[in-house]
Amino acid sequence: MSASPDHAKDPDRHIPVLIDEVLDALAINPGEAHVDGTFGAGGYSSAMAAKGAKVFAFDRDPDAIREGQALADEKGITLIAGEFSRMQGLLAERGVTSVSGVTLDIGVSSMQLDRSERGFSFQADGPLDMTMSQSGMNAADFLNNAPEQEIADVLYLYGEEPRSRRVAKAIVEARPLERTGQLASVVRRALGHKPHDKKDPATRTFQAIRIHVNRELEELERGLEAAEAILEEGGRLAIVTFHSLEDRIVKQFLRKRSGGEGGGSRHLPEKKAGDAPTFEKPAKAVRPGEAELTRNPRARSATLRSAIRTSAPVANRPNPSRSARS
């Protein structure tokens, strides 16, 4: 994958995963309005702007908003503080009622992972936080107050941890937990950890807690609804996910909304008999090639799914003023 012009000038600038493939799926025409659901370090937004798009970028992380404003101003990007699930209402406030493309990059950003003070990673010790919005219940609040069974359920559902009960029991016995290093040590002792193990046993637990604290799967489901509602006829939807739980939600949503069989999430409106498909048949899923994996090992689990909006109206159109729970 070739680097963007901006990256050629600044080799340290983050290149988002599958950027060329995402741009191919978006097929941007100059002057079109496009949404970048997670601004992060601005990689997708900058690439869209370079193609001539009028970009509206969202992020619920105050650090991303504050640190990204200069880049947004330079590139002519409208940077909006808020969840992408609220894009309809937040864009309506700015006089925008439809867009030609929506891109959603799901999960935690490299910027968040690399900063120990945010508490997303066990690679370096930091406060047990993990909140993307830096508000509301954090990881320490949850682990130190939730019942053992609830913790076990979260680890099993969101981390697909087969020994969730053992880990939850160890967490409760180790309370109070305040640091990422503490949590990682508790999990490793509970599950057993050898230095040569390919995958750290704490990985699934950290993923599960992060997803739960930030309501990431609910945010994704609502974001898909919002994108469906705001995309114009012929508009393009591109979603990059990083694990099976996210990808399953996207795959089921697009299958259902394109007239395919299969049940969807319990959170999404049921498709009534007779509803015309709101998306054309989705494109084949795309995953990173060897060159990208060599450059960015974090891309190894990424999957891109995309589809084109039809002219069919949305059944049970979401309320633009509805916001995701924090």
Side-chain angles (χ1 to χ4, degrees), residues 276-287:
T278 52
F279 285 94
E280 297 178 8
K281 182 178 178 180
K284 184 178 179 180
V286 178
R287 295 179 175 83

Side-chain angles (χ1 to χ4, degrees), residues 179-190:
R179 309 287 295 180
T180 57
Q182 285 178 283
L183 175 59
S185 294
V186 168
V187 178
R188 290 165 185 156
R189 284 196 301 270

Side-chain angles (χ1 to χ4, degrees), residues 39 54 56 63 84-85 97 113 116 130 159 170 182 211-212 221 225 241-242 245 247 257 275 286 308 317 319-320:
F39 180 77
K54 183 177 182 180
F56 297 90
D63 285 353
F84 58 67
S85 62
T97 57
L113 281 172
S116 59
M130 300 193 197
Q182 285 178 283
I211 289 173
H212 175 68
E221 290 164 342
E225 291 179 0
T241 60
F242 289 87
L245 296 176
D247 185 52
R257 293 302 200 268
D275 287 344
V286 178
I308 297 174
R317 183 180 293 273
N319 185 343

Side-chain angles (χ1 to χ4, degrees), residues 36-57:
D36 177 2
T38 311
F39 180 77
Y44 285 115
S45 289
S46 294
M48 293 176 195
K51 292 288 186 179
K54 183 177 182 180
V55 182
F56 297 90

